[in-house]
Amino acid sequence: MWTATRDGYELSSDPGRIDVDRVHHWLATDSYWAANRPRDIVDRSLANSIPLGIYRSNTQVAFARIVTDHATFGWLCDVYVDPAERGHGLGTWLAEAARDLLAERGVLRIILATWDAHGVYAKAGFVPVARPDRWMEIDRRNTP
């Protein structure tokens, strides 16, 4: 487990502390990337990722997860900060924690995708993909 404290908040990678109902609500109802995501998919994604939670007075106020092979590659995703807690640097803290946790394991490449939070991630050292022409995808999210 990985834990840290800052300004009255605690960051933890303990999967047992994740408030899954709250995370599902945030993702399914208030995120652009996971709108209407079913609970079973949230459960499966958590079971196969490293979750990061930030807590204030033992109430979860932010979330992210890392998908990784623990050797060569990591993907930071589903980063969400409760609207009442935004503006305190929690998103950047999640990105820094993911960066540092993966660095401790020797993972050299970490990616993420964002529509509107480039500045948050830049503070943690993320930069645009140097060679986007090398990246390809299959995106089935909107396929009937």
Side-chain angles (χ1 to χ4, degrees):
M1 296 308 149
W2 205 77
T3 62
T5 57
R6 179 187 293 179
D7 300 327
Y9 294 96
E10 180 184 7
L11 190 150
S12 174
S13 65
D14 181 354
R17 291 192 66 190
I18 298 297
D19 182 340
V20 182
D21 290 332
R22 186 171 196 141
V23 168
H24 173 251
H25 175 77
W26 285 337
L27 295 178
T29 67
D30 196 39
S31 74
Y32 66 84
W33 67 90
N36 301 311
R37 184 177 288 173
R39 170 62 186 258
D40 65 306
I41 291 182
V42 171
D43 291 339
R44 242 183 324 152
S45 71
L46 284 168
N48 294 293
S49 302
I50 300 169
L52 299 174
I54 297 179
Y55 306 87
R56 188 171 56 116
S57 302
N58 288 320
T59 298
Q60 187 165 358
V61 298
F63 170 78
R65 66 187 181 91
I66 305 165
V67 180
T68 184
D69 62 5
H70 301 275
T72 64
F73 186 81
W75 172 38
L76 175 61
C77 57
D78 288 341
V79 178
Y80 187 91
V81 177
D82 187 290
E85 300 291 337
R86 292 179 185 165
H88 300 286
L90 302 182
T92 299
W93 192 20
L94 286 166
E96 291 167 345
R99 175 199 66 204
D100 296 347
L101 190 148
L102 291 173
E104 288 174 4
R105 296 172 187 206
V107 175
L108 301 177
R109 174 172 281 175
I110 308 166
I111 63 158
L112 63 81
T114 185
W115 182 25
D116 59 353
H118 296 79
V120 169
Y121 301 112
K123 292 175 189 172
F126 286 85
V127 297
V129 175
R131 295 293 311 266
D133 56 311
R134 292 184 182 186
W135 292 86
M136 298 177 72
E137 71 176 348
I138 295 172
D139 186 347
R140 295 186 181 122
R141 289 176 292 181
N142 295 317
T143 304

